[in-house]
Amino acid sequence: MSAERVHRTTHEVTVAAPAGVVYGLISDAVRWPLFFPPNVHVEQLEFDGESERLRMWATANGQVRSWTSRRLLDPALRRVEFRQELPAAPVQAMGGTWTVDALGADRSRLTLLHEFTVADDAPDDVAWVERATDTNSRTELDSLRRLAEQWGRLDELVLSFEDSVRVHGPAELVYDFLYRIGDWPELVPHVSRLDFTEDEPGVQVMSMDTRTADGSSHTTRSVRVCFPHAGRIVYKQTATPLLMSAHTGEWSVVPDETGVTVFAQHSVVLREENIARVLGEDADLAQARRYVREALGRNSTATLELAKKHAESAVTVL
């Protein structure tokens, strides 16, 4: 990166957790969508044990942006260097470092440095990037701090699972049903309202009202990234129900010689402080895990069954 017109920012946070724990969260970029609010999806394109190439989608100033980055990981120094290969406009070049310093056995300092340039150094564009970088960095560091300080209980707070349905019909029709979310209020009984935009092909920003088995209604907002050639749709909820601080997922359509299996995958970070408010004073974390597993699984399996019916009915008509 040229020294001319380079803008630099520094953000840091002190974390009541071992430096190795903090570095572990930083180094595992594929899980960032679950741990960091701005990140929507991360695809690891290459990895040789020391360097990796990533395709990343994230929100910036309320917009969804995507870029490709290369990172160099140094676990001995607890340092990660990154450089965007294909930045998203108005960024012309972007790079930086994550550094974790031990302040004791159970205390550490995390520092995040950015340096960037903007085409023609346009003041409005520079201000936009500075605002996005500052907002996202502060949000990421705060989220990481809270997660790292619960590192001994993360296995209890994080819940991942999947459901699947077998379909005797074309994979293209299954994917089409899952992709056409604008039709879901008419086709999916538990969806009462859904608004979405798709300003960039395959990137859907949606707001949805869903009904649960007990009759209550939840409003969620999500970003979906669609990969039609791979039969995948990944998503990140940007506004979650009370019991979840984060929720990511994936719909995947996998054909084989005799038909199609369609999967619904979920990963959730539970919001423990809201358990009593939602489930009652006597409820515990185990009950919250069961409740979220059943609620999410029930709705996603119902959607899978409807996708199955859509594909198999079309085959019957033909």
Side-chain angles (χ1 to χ4, degrees):
M1 185 181 292
S2 170
E4 185 179 4
R5 298 183 184 274
V6 176
H7 302 267
R8 294 180 173 86
T9 66
T10 302
H11 296 83
E12 66 177 34
V13 65
T14 300
V15 186
V21 170
V22 177
Y23 177 80
L25 293 172
I26 294 301
S27 63
D28 190 2
V30 173
R31 299 193 78 189
W32 281 11
L34 187 62
F35 294 152
F36 292 169
N39 292 91
V40 173
H41 182 61
V42 177
E43 292 264 325
Q44 188 182 66
L45 305 178
E46 302 171 15
F47 183 55
D48 63 7
E50 294 182 356
S51 66
E52 63 182 348
R53 190 163 172 263
L54 305 168
R55 178 76 187 277
M56 310 182 80
W57 288 259
T59 57
N61 293 336
Q63 303 175 22
V64 180
R65 297 299 177 100
S66 178
W67 62 89
T68 302
S69 285
R70 187 167 292 279
R71 304 203 313 164
L72 183 63
L73 289 78
D74 189 334
L77 294 179
R78 292 189 290 269
R79 175 185 174 95
V80 178
E81 299 179 11
F82 60 90
R83 184 76 58 197
Q84 292 185 6
E85 293 183 328
L86 296 173
V91 175
Q92 188 175 54
M94 172 75 80
T97 58
W98 297 87
T99 306
V100 186
D101 295 309
L103 302 178
D106 296 306
R107 194 164 172 264
S108 54
R109 180 175 59 245
L110 172 63
T111 305
L112 172 57
L113 305 178
H114 284 93
E115 57 179 26
F116 67 89
T117 62
V118 170
D120 300 321
D121 211 38
D124 288 348
D125 288 342
V126 170
W128 191 95
V129 177
E130 287 179 335
R131 186 168 68 254
T133 301
D134 182 66
T135 300
N136 282 9
S137 296
R138 291 178 186 275
T139 302
E140 289 170 351
L141 293 185
D142 183 62
S143 178
L144 184 140
R145 177 188 57 77
R146 287 185 285 106
L147 283 167
E149 290 178 352
Q150 301 179 84
W151 67 276
R153 305 183 62 242
L154 269 185
D155 286 346
E156 298 176 72
L157 294 171
V158 175
L159 172 65
S160 297
F161 63 92
E162 71 176 22
D163 295 298
S164 64
V165 169
R166 188 69 177 163
V167 182
H168 299 288
E172 295 79 7
L173 290 180
V174 178
Y175 183 88
D176 179 67
F177 184 93
L178 298 172
Y179 174 79
R180 289 188 296 107
I181 54 173
D183 297 337
W184 281 13
E186 289 74 41
L187 301 175
V188 181
H190 63 263
V191 175
S192 57
R193 181 196 62 86
L194 193 149
D195 300 315
F196 82 101
T197 59
E198 191 170 349
D199 297 332
E200 177 184 344
V203 179
Q204 301 173 331
V205 180
M206 56 183 279
S207 173
M208 179 172 64
D209 292 342
T210 58
R211 289 182 292 266
T212 58
D214 60 8
S216 60
S217 179
H218 298 291
T219 298
T220 59
R221 290 190 293 274
S222 304
V223 177
R224 307 205 318 169
V225 182
C226 306
F227 303 93
H229 297 298
R232 300 171 60 217
I233 299 173
V234 299
Y235 62 88
K236 161 74 172 279
Q237 282 193 349
T238 54
T240 56
L242 288 172
L243 274 179
M244 295 180 281
S245 61
H247 176 201
T248 64
E250 178 174 338
W251 305 96
S252 54
V253 182
V254 182
D256 56 37
E257 296 82 1
T258 61
V260 173
T261 304
V262 55
F263 297 89
Q265 299 172 313
H266 299 271
S267 290
V268 169
V269 179
L270 296 172
R271 195 187 297 271
E272 190 171 14
E273 64 270 24
N274 286 340
I275 292 176
R277 177 180 174 185
V278 176
L279 300 180
E281 293 295 333
D282 296 330
D284 58 15
L285 191 55
Q287 289 173 269
R289 289 175 65 88
R290 289 194 298 271
Y291 179 90
V292 169
R293 170 66 176 95
E294 291 170 4
L296 291 180
R298 184 186 307 111
N299 282 353
S300 59
T301 300
T303 303
L304 294 181
E305 292 287 354
L306 290 167
K308 169 186 171 75
K309 180 179 179 181
H310 172 74
E312 293 181 347
S313 297
V315 172
T316 300
V317 171
L318 293 174

